[in-house]
Amino acid sequence: MVKAVVGANWGDEGKGKITDMLAQKADIVIRFQGGANAGHTIVNHYGKFALHTLPSGVFYDHVTNIIGNGVALNIPVFFKEIRDIMDRGVPAPKILISDRVQIVMPYHILFDQYEEERLAGKAYGSTKSGIAPFYSDKYAKIGFQVNELFDEKALKEKLVRVLEVKNVTLEHLYHKPLLDPDAMFDTLMEYREMVSPYLCDVSSYLYQAIRDGKEILLEGQLGTLKDTDHGIYPMVTSSCTLAAFGAIGAGIPPYEIKKVITVCKAYSSAVGAGAFVSEIFGDEADELRRRGGDGGEYGATTGRPRRMGWFDCVASHYGCRLQGTTDVAFTVLDVLGYLDEIPVCTAYEIDGEVTTDFPTTGRLEKAKPVITVLPGWKTDIRGIRKYEDLPENCRRYIEFVEEKIGFPITMVSNGPGRDDIIYRRAL
Ligand code: GDP
């Protein structure tokens, strides 16, 4: 069966933890979009890890980890990550890389930096991993699929053609050093050396795996609100973060995705710029940030402090709806145990009107949160394994959120570890 694990919000909901946990019973874990621009934090018996491009199944030797065609593959970063986890005692993971995946070129990263410099104060808050220039080139059909590395003559010709365009921008817009096709060719030959042992016709591999009844997890990066189309455009990422894209970014039929597990955090956090209706500031935000996640809410890739807010039912209902949620995994609930009262954003007020529909960006920027305050439970809920054993106010919080978002919360995560989970219904 194919299951997707995706985010409802701005990312950092705890998808890595949920994927690592579900991977205990999976055969295959696939990354289908995004690149090294966000991180998944995983805590297990090997230690604490921040993965950027590696699928979250790499800690199990029974899991085959796949980089799907939809990913932005930064080859040196990818291999450094493998080395880093192995240096910390993790056995060499089983890896396959789609022969159709495209390569993040060194100049994609440069262009990201140069553009952020040029925009200065008006920048999008890019992680400067080359993701926007990468996807722009992919859809402009001047990207490089890994299989192109094997036809040296054609590759050289294409490099000359593509770099000619890049150099015009470098010279006249950014006033930066120009790119040399020969040097770039040498770099790509090094990349070829690294990826060749792992290349695979992934859609064909998965076709067979599905026929053989394998347990397959599609692992999403970021969340609905960062989706290029359905997110808070233009403060979004440049790939599709929805489960639907899992079919394309892995190469499987859409109807094979039988479960969509949408990960939703018990409060909100966001990185980068953009409207964030339930955002909180000052001491209140600092305290939640410090206590949040596992060791504070700071970006796994950038180390940037995350923006903090209360749970947003409007954004989360929308986020779950667009994902096509069958199950919500409600995470990081243990963190809220210090609060006497817990505010929840249940609607938006826009130009004097109250709505529970998530609006387009211009109206979203004008939205003010309508807050309902629920009583806290004032205890540490870590270690609890049965739903009935949660304090009454904690269950009330979960059931209130479930009713407002309109999708079933079937899992409650009350700690960063694999076993910190309460199932309300079997998956
Ligand atoms: P992802 O990108 O969606 O995988 O999320 P991140 O890894 O950026 O952020 C989630 C953070 O919360 C990580 O530090 C996790 O270890 C941590 N985490 C996940 N689930 C829980 C939970 O239920 N409780 C606590 N306290 N931390 C959690």
Side-chain angles (χ1 to χ4, degrees), residues 71-213:
V71 168
L73 182 62
N74 183 321
I75 293 173
V77 166
F78 183 79
F79 286 94
K80 182 175 181 305
E81 264 192 77
I82 296 181
R83 275 200 309 279
D84 286 350
I85 64 164
M86 288 176 62
D87 285 350
R88 292 178 57 194
V90 179
K94 272 192 243 159
I95 307 267
L96 295 175
I97 297 174
S98 167
D99 55 9
R100 290 173 181 274
V101 75
Q102 296 210 7
I103 305 165
V104 175
M105 303 290 273
Y107 53 81
H108 288 143
I109 296 160
L110 295 175
F111 273 79
D112 230 351
Q113 288 166 4
Y114 298 160
E115 184 61 7
E116 287 279 301
E117 275 170 40
R118 192 179 73 88
L119 291 174
K122 298 203 181 80
Y124 292 98
S126 163
T127 59
K128 303 186 191 71
S129 315
I131 300 301
F134 166 91
Y135 282 105
S136 308
D137 280 3
K138 173 172 172 173
Y139 292 106
K141 297 174 287 185
I142 53 169
F144 291 83
Q145 290 193 340
V146 280
N147 59 71
E148 292 178 68
L149 300 176
F150 296 87
D151 183 343
E152 295 185 15
K153 186 162 170 286
L155 181 65
K156 273 188 181 145
E157 279 165 21
K158 183 167 166 183
L159 272 174
V160 169
R161 182 160 48 83
V162 172
L163 297 194
E164 202 176 319
V165 180
K166 299 292 169 199
N167 281 339
V168 173
T169 316
L170 284 172
E171 186 175 351
H172 298 289
L173 182 66
Y174 296 127
H175 312 294
K176 297 286 184 186
L178 303 190
L179 299 166
D180 170 27
D182 292 330
M184 196 60 65
F185 179 82
D186 293 343
T187 303
L188 291 184
M189 289 302 103
E190 286 169 24
Y191 287 4
R192 182 172 81 178
E193 201 64 10
M194 294 186 226
V195 289
S196 326
Y198 303 96
L199 295 188
C200 170
D201 177 350
V202 165
S203 67
S204 164
Y205 180 88
L206 293 176
Y207 176 73
Q208 194 54 45
I210 291 171
R211 287 169 74 115
D212 294 343

Side-chain angles (χ1 to χ4, degrees), residues 11-18 38-43 48 219-220 222 263 265 267 291-300 306 330-335 382 412-417 420:
D12 308 317
E13 299 95 347
K15 296 176 295 295
K17 179 240 156 104
I18 299 293
H40 289 174
T41 313
I42 295 177
V43 182
K48 182 173 177 177
E219 180 180 17
L222 296 168
V263 185
K265 193 150 69 178
Y267 53 89
R291 293 173 176 268
D294 176 37
E297 291 282 359
Y298 301 92
R306 293 176 181 152
F330 197 50
T331 58
V332 208
L333 188 61
D334 50 303
V335 161
R382 283 206 192 183
V412 176
S413 171
N414 58 343
D420 298 321

